[in-house]
Amino acid sequence: MKGIYLVIVLAPLIGAILAGLFGHRIGRRGAHSVTILGVAVATVLSFYALFGILSGAVAPFNETLYTWGVAGGLRMEVGFLIDTLSATMMATVTFVSLMVHIYTIGYMHEDPGYQRFFAYISLFTFSMLMLVMSNNFLQLFFGWEAVGVVSYLLIGFWFKRPSAIFANMKAFLVNRVGDFGFLLGIAAVVYFSGSLDYMEVFARGDEIAGQQVEIVQGTYWNAMTLICILLFIGAMGKSAQVPLHVWLPDSMEGPTPISALIHAATMVTAGIFMVSRMSPLFELSEVALSVVLVIGATTAFFMGLLGIVQNDIKRVVAYSTLSQLGYMTVALGVSAYAGAMFHLVTHAFFKALLFLAAGSVIIAMHHEQDMRKMGGLRKYMPITYWTALLGALALIGFPGFAGFFSKDAIIEATHASTIPGAHYAYWSVQLGVFITALYTFRMIFMTFHGKERMDEHTRSHLKESPAVVTIPLILLAIPSVFIGWFEIGPFLFGGFFGDAIFVAPNHDVLTLLGESYHGPLGFVQHGFATASVYLAFAGVAVAWYLYVKRPDLPDILRQRFAPLHRILINKFYFDDVNEKVLAPATRGMGWVFWRVGDTTLIDGALVNGSARAVGWFSGVLRHLQSGYLFHYAFAMVIGLALLIGWVLLAR
C-alpha cells in the first residue's frame, strides 16, 4: 500500500508541475487534462484505501518514508498515517477537488491565466493531502503552511484587482497570527514530549498532563491545556473562528472554483481535522475543550447573523461557511469528534454545490454578483436552480437531507454535554438553525424567484450553464441529499473511526445518544420532536414572506432597525478594529523598530559606528607610519625606556 499512498500524493503534484512549468507548451487542453488525470487517480485510489480499511482488507498504515534529519535525538521525518480518519479526509478532499477541476474548464475558459489556475488548484490538492496523511507534527506543519501559501496565490489570482491583492494579503496575515500560535503549540509538544511523532506524543499524554508550566511569574498552567489552546489557535486561523475569521469573506475575491475548493471541503476544514486527530491530547484538558466550545458557538451564531445582510451571492455562502465551521467546532468542544467529521463530510458536498451553483449564476449574469440585480432566474437556469435548492435544503437541515443528520446530531450532542459553556453553545446552535434557514432562502428567493431585476441586455443573454458546469452540480447534489442516510449510523454510533479518535468515558456524549438511536428513519422521526426542525421551517417561511410575498418590507425593517443593521453591515466592527487599531499599532511598532532598532542602533551605532571608529583609529595610527628611520629609532628608545621604567617600578 505504500506505493499507492505515494501515488495519491504525487499524482496531483506531477499535474501541477506539468501545468505550471510547461503550461505554455502543452496548452490549455493539456493543462486541464494532466491535472484532472492526476486528481482523478488520487480520488480513485483514496476511495480504494478507504473501503479497504473499512472492510479489513487493508490494514491501517503508519510508517516513516524518509528521515530528513536528527538533532539532539529529535527525529524530523516524512511519513504517512492512514486510518479511517485520514482516509475519509483523503476521499472527501480528492472528490471535491475533482469536481472543482472539471467545473473550472467551463468557468475559467476565457481567462488568460487558465494553465496557471489549474497548476495552483492541483498544487493545493497535493498540499492538503500531505497535511491529512502526515504522521508527525513536522509534516503536518509543512502541509499547513503549504495550503496557506497556495490559498494566498488563489485568492489573489486576479492580481491586477486591488481588492484581490488586499484580500489575499489579509488572508495571509490573519493566518500568520493563527500559525504563530500553532507553531508555539508544536514547540510546546516537542519541549514536553521530546518527539514530533503523533503516536509517541499521544503515548506520553498522561505524563504531559501531569506537568505545570509558569506562564508569568506566579501563574501556572497545565502543560496539556497550554499545548491544546496553542494548537487550537492555529485551527482558529485556518478554520476561520472568531476573531480570526475576518479573512474568509474577503477571500471571495478569488475565482468561484477556489471558493468551493478552499472554503467548502479542504483548507477551512484543516483545523477541524487537526483537532480531531489530536483528540488524545484535547481529552486530557477540559479547559481547552471549553475554550473550543465557546469560540465555536460564538462563530456559529454571530457569523450567521451577518449572512442576513449580505447582497453578494458568494458572501452569503461564505458567511454560511463560517457558521457551519462554528457547528463543527462546537462538536469538537463537546468531544463529539465523529460528529464534527460527519458534518465536515456532508458540508463538503452541499457547500461545494452551493458555491459552484453561485458560480453558475455569476457566469449567466456576466459576472454580476449582487443579488439585488438578479431575480427570476429559475426559468432560465433550471438545473442550477434545482441543484442549488437541494444544496440549500441540505444546508438548513431539512429532514432527510445530509445536513439534517449531521447538524441535528451536533445539536443533540451539545444538549447532552456537561462541558462548561455547553448551555450557551446549545442555544447558539439552536437559534443558528433559524438564522441559517433565513439567510439561505433569502439567497434562493432573491436569486431565483420574484421580479427580474437585471438589465435588458443581461436578460436577453440568460441561459443555462454548459454541461461542464452543470454535471459537477448534479454529481455534488446526489450526496448532498442521500449521504446522511448511509453515514449517520457508522460515523456516529458504529465505531467508524475506531482507534483514530479517542474520547474519554466522561465526555462520550455520542454513546449516550446512541442508546436512543433506532436507524436513520428513526432519527428523522425524532427530529420532528425537537425544536430545530421547526426553527428551520420558520426561517424559510420568514424568508418567503419578506422576499417573495412582501419584498417592500425588508427596506422598512432596515430603516426601523437602522442601528442594528449598521452593526451587522459593518460586521460587528471587527475589520474596523483590525484596520484602524491593530494595523496602525503594528505599523507604529514596526516604525519604532526600524528607526530606533535598525537605523539608529544596528546601522548607526553598530555597523556605521564601528566603521567610523576603525577609520578614526586607523587615521591616528597612520601618523606613526612616517617612513623615516630616525622616527622609528626614537620610538624604539622611548618604548624601551618606558618598559625599563615599568619593570623597575614593579619591583
Side-chain angles (χ1 to χ4, degrees):
M1 289 298 294
K2 182 193 297 185
I4 290 176
Y5 297 141
L6 283 170
V7 172
I8 292 173
V9 170
L10 294 178
L13 177 62
I14 293 171
I17 293 172
L18 291 174
L21 299 182
F22 306 100
H24 61 289
R25 294 185 179 180
I26 63 178
R28 292 179 168 233
R29 183 181 293 273
H32 73 235
S33 297
V34 294
T35 51
I36 290 174
L37 177 62
V39 176
V41 169
T43 303
V44 172
L45 294 179
S46 294
F47 276 97
Y48 171 77
L50 175 60
F51 292 132
I53 293 173
L54 290 175
S55 66
V58 176
F61 182 89
N62 184 15
E63 191 173 316
T64 298
L65 303 178
Y66 174 73
T67 300
W68 182 47
V70 180
L74 181 67
R75 300 184 66 84
M76 290 165 281
E77 301 169 331
V78 176
F80 293 155
L81 170 59
I82 313 298
D83 52 18
T84 48
L85 180 60
S86 52
T88 300
M89 284 294 296
M90 289 158 57
T92 304
V93 167
T94 52
F95 178 76
V96 174
S97 178
L98 179 61
M99 295 299 102
V100 170
H101 275 70
I102 297 171
Y103 178 93
T104 300
I105 298 174
Y107 192 90
M108 301 289 290
H109 73 280
E110 294 180 351
D111 197 283
Y114 189 85
Q115 295 98 314
R116 177 165 57 93
F117 189 84
F118 272 98
Y120 287 172
I121 58 177
S122 192
L123 183 62
F124 184 92
T125 307
F126 158 75
S127 303
M128 195 66 195
L129 287 171
M130 286 293 289
L131 189 157
V132 302
M133 295 172 68
S134 63
N135 71 346
N136 62 85
F137 285 93
L138 179 67
Q139 187 176 329
L140 173 68
F141 188 72
F142 165 78
W144 196 269
E145 293 301 311
V147 295
V149 171
V150 184
S151 70
Y152 169 84
L153 297 173
L154 286 168
I155 294 168
F157 181 79
W158 288 320
F159 53 83
K160 294 183 179 179
R161 294 183 183 178
S163 57
I165 296 175
F166 178 83
N168 74 348
M169 184 58 68
K170 187 176 183 178
F172 190 81
L173 292 176
V174 172
N175 273 277
R176 295 293 71 72
V177 175
D179 292 352
F180 182 66
F182 189 59
L183 186 60
L184 289 177
I186 295 175
V189 167
V190 174
Y191 178 80
F192 287 105
S193 71
S195 177
L196 287 165
D197 185 85
Y198 289 163
M199 296 304 157
E200 292 182 13
V201 175
F202 297 162
R204 298 173 186 173
D206 291 327
E207 177 187 337
I208 298 171
Q211 300 183 57
Q212 300 286 318
V213 58
E214 190 174 17
I215 303 296
V216 294
Q217 190 173 3
T219 303
Y220 291 88
W221 276 39
N222 178 270
M224 187 60 75
T225 298
L226 177 65
I227 288 172
C228 291
I229 289 177
L230 288 173
L231 291 176
F232 180 65
I233 290 173
M236 288 170 62
K238 278 289 182 290
S239 295
Q241 298 297 293
V242 173
L244 301 181
H245 68 282
V246 294
W247 66 271
L248 191 142
D250 285 356
S251 65
M252 296 299 108
E253 291 293 334
T256 298
I258 69 111
S259 300
L261 187 62
I262 293 178
H263 307 135
T266 50
M267 177 176 155
V268 293
T269 59
I272 309 300
F273 165 79
M274 184 272 293
V275 176
S276 299
R277 175 62 79 194
M278 301 301 144
S279 59
L281 304 182
F282 278 83
E283 286 299 292
L284 296 172
S285 175
E286 194 164 283
V287 174
L289 289 175
S290 186
V291 170
V292 173
L293 177 60
V294 171
I295 289 178
T298 304
T299 305
F301 179 72
F302 288 97
M303 294 302 105
L305 288 174
L306 299 183
I308 299 173
V309 299
Q310 301 300 315
N311 295 311
D312 185 312
I313 187 172
K314 285 176 64 178
R315 285 183 178 264
V316 176
V317 185
Y319 278 105
S320 80
T321 300
L322 283 174
S323 182
Q324 297 308 303
L325 287 168
Y327 275 84
M328 299 177 207
T329 306
V330 165
L332 298 174
V334 299
S335 296
Y337 304 99
M341 291 301 301
F342 184 27
H343 198 50
L344 185 155
V345 173
T346 60
H347 175 265
F349 296 117
F350 64 70
K351 187 53 59 69
L353 169 60
L354 286 172
F355 269 120
L356 297 187
S360 179
V361 169
I362 293 169
I363 293 172
M365 293 291 300
H366 300 288
H367 295 279
E368 177 60 66
Q369 297 181 196
D370 194 334
M371 296 186 298
R372 294 170 297 184
K373 299 178 181 179
M374 300 179 186
L377 294 181
R378 176 179 56 172
K379 65 181 180 182
Y380 301 103
M381 309 179 70
I383 298 176
T384 300
Y385 168 70
W386 285 108
T387 53
L389 181 62
L390 294 175
L393 291 170
L395 172 59
I396 71 170
F398 190 86
F401 284 70
F404 166 79
F405 294 101
S406 54
K407 183 183 288 187
D408 269 38
I410 292 173
I411 294 172
E412 292 299 311
T414 308
H415 189 240
S417 176
T418 57
I419 299 288
H423 188 70
Y424 163 73
Y426 173 72
W427 284 107
S428 295
V429 295
Q430 192 75 278
L431 293 173
V433 173
F434 173 81
I435 301 295
T436 301
L438 176 57
Y439 66 67
T440 301
F441 273 84
R442 172 180 177 266
M443 177 186 69
I444 294 293
F445 293 139
M446 287 184 69
T447 304
F448 297 103
H449 293 260
K451 181 181 177 182
E452 298 173 3
R453 298 180 297 276
M454 70 287 295
D455 59 71
E456 188 59 38
H457 178 265
T458 303
R459 183 187 291 108
S460 64
H461 290 85
L462 283 174
K463 61 179 181 179
E464 184 61 89
S465 299
V468 74
V469 171
T470 56
I471 288 175
L473 294 180
I474 297 169
L475 293 176
L476 286 168
I478 295 170
S480 298
V481 178
F482 298 109
I483 197 170
W485 292 88
F486 305 101
E487 285 188 347
I488 182 171
F491 265 58
L492 300 185
F493 314 116
F496 181 92
F497 294 107
D499 296 333
I501 288 175
F502 171 78
V503 181
N506 59 319
H507 295 159
D508 197 356
V509 290
L510 290 181
T511 297
L512 187 65
L513 295 181
E515 295 173 358
S516 58
Y517 175 72
H518 302 291
L521 184 60
F523 193 86
V524 173
Q525 292 173 339
H526 173 74
F528 285 96
T530 64
S532 57
V533 169
Y534 302 100
L535 286 169
F537 291 162
V540 176
V542 171
W544 174 82
Y545 186 78
L546 291 176
Y547 297 98
V548 178
K549 183 71 173 177
R550 290 286 306 279
D552 61 308
L553 200 52
D555 286 332
I556 298 172
L557 293 173
R558 190 179 301 113
Q559 294 172 11
R560 185 168 296 179
F561 299 99
L564 177 60
H565 180 264
R566 194 177 302 112
I567 291 172
L568 295 178
I569 207 69
N570 285 289
K571 298 171 284 189
F572 298 114
Y573 298 97
F574 276 104
D575 282 335
D576 289 331
V577 171
N578 288 334
E579 294 168 19
K580 296 178 182 179
V581 178
L582 297 180
T586 305
R587 285 196 300 268
M589 190 184 300
W591 185 90
V592 171
F593 285 141
W594 166 54
R595 295 296 298 174
V596 177
D598 189 38
T599 304
T600 304
L601 294 178
I602 298 175
D603 286 344
L606 294 178
V607 179
N608 296 333
S610 60
R612 283 193 294 269
V614 170
W616 174 85
F617 188 66
S618 62
V620 173
L621 291 180
R622 186 176 66 233
H623 296 293
L624 299 178
Q625 302 294 324
S626 64
Y628 294 107
L629 183 61
F630 63 88
H631 285 172
Y632 300 146
F634 182 73
M636 292 173 61
V637 171
I638 295 297
L640 183 61
L642 292 173
L643 179 62
I644 294 172
W646 179 78
V647 171
L648 293 175
L649 290 173
R651 291 182 178 180

